[in-house]
Amino acid sequence: MTDDAGSGHTPDDAEAQAPKVRIGQGPGRLLLSLYAVFTVAALSRSIVQIATKYHDAPLAYVLSGVAGVVYAVITVALWKGGEQARRVALVCCSAELAGVIAVGTLTLVDSSAFPDATVWSDFGVGYVFLPLALPVAGLLWLRRAARGAGQRREQQTGSEA
């Protein structure tokens, strides 16, 4: 199947030839590093808590594990780059922000709901509010990377004409 311009290239070929969105470069590299550290911190904490005192606060420990998995997916997406990875990171950052806001609000409204803290408790106060700041920074960076990729594609198609 050819595209409308009759160049003989399929839309899939154009996407495959487009440059990868460099979401793990520049400021993205700092985000990548922070997410990697948070992956290790959240997963390590939750694994130890689940293994040693799961019965004390199962919801809190499982949520910390979920946060660690979300951080790991974002880390891999930032490292891998490309449009599909950017979309995965976008969804995960959005889910992370929703989780931080939901858990943060719930811990303030009903502190008995979480007998022990999670990564996202009180909007990440135990981690200097970075769990709240990271998804916001990530979403802004991913948005900027998408605009940059769109501009590069426009420049490429303009130079091919």
Side-chain angles (χ1 to χ4, degrees):
M1 178 179 190
T2 61
D3 65 359
D4 291 334
S7 66
H9 296 290
T10 65
D12 292 336
D13 290 342
E15 189 169 314
Q17 292 175 358
K20 279 194 171 187
V21 178
R22 293 295 184 189
I23 56 177
Q25 300 296 318
R29 187 166 292 182
L30 176 61
L31 281 173
L32 173 63
S33 300
L34 288 171
Y35 272 114
V37 168
F38 268 74
T39 298
V40 172
L43 285 177
S44 300
R45 174 183 178 163
S46 69
I47 289 168
V48 168
Q49 290 173 322
I50 288 170
T52 61
K53 52 184 184 173
Y54 178 78
H55 60 281
D56 291 347
L59 179 60
Y61 304 149
V62 169
L63 278 174
S64 287
V66 168
V69 170
V70 170
Y71 295 148
V73 172
I74 295 169
T75 301
V76 170
L78 289 171
W79 176 74
K80 185 176 178 186
E83 182 57 24
Q84 184 175 0
R86 189 193 68 78
R87 289 180 190 149
V88 168
L90 188 65
V91 168
C92 288
C93 282
S94 299
E96 176 193 2
L97 183 59
V100 172
I101 291 170
V103 172
T105 301
L106 190 56
T107 55
L108 292 177
V109 172
D110 182 16
S111 60
S112 66
F114 294 94
D116 201 355
T118 73
V119 174
W120 296 338
S121 292
D122 300 316
F123 304 102
V125 69
Y127 292 88
V128 197
F129 296 104
L130 282 174
L132 181 60
L134 269 177
V136 172
L139 290 168
L140 291 172
W141 176 247
L142 293 166
R143 181 177 172 207
R144 181 175 175 204
R147 280 191 306 223
Q151 290 171 351
R152 283 191 297 274
R153 268 187 241 118
E154 286 177 14
Q155 289 171 349
Q156 279 187 334
T157 55
S159 66
E160 290 175 1

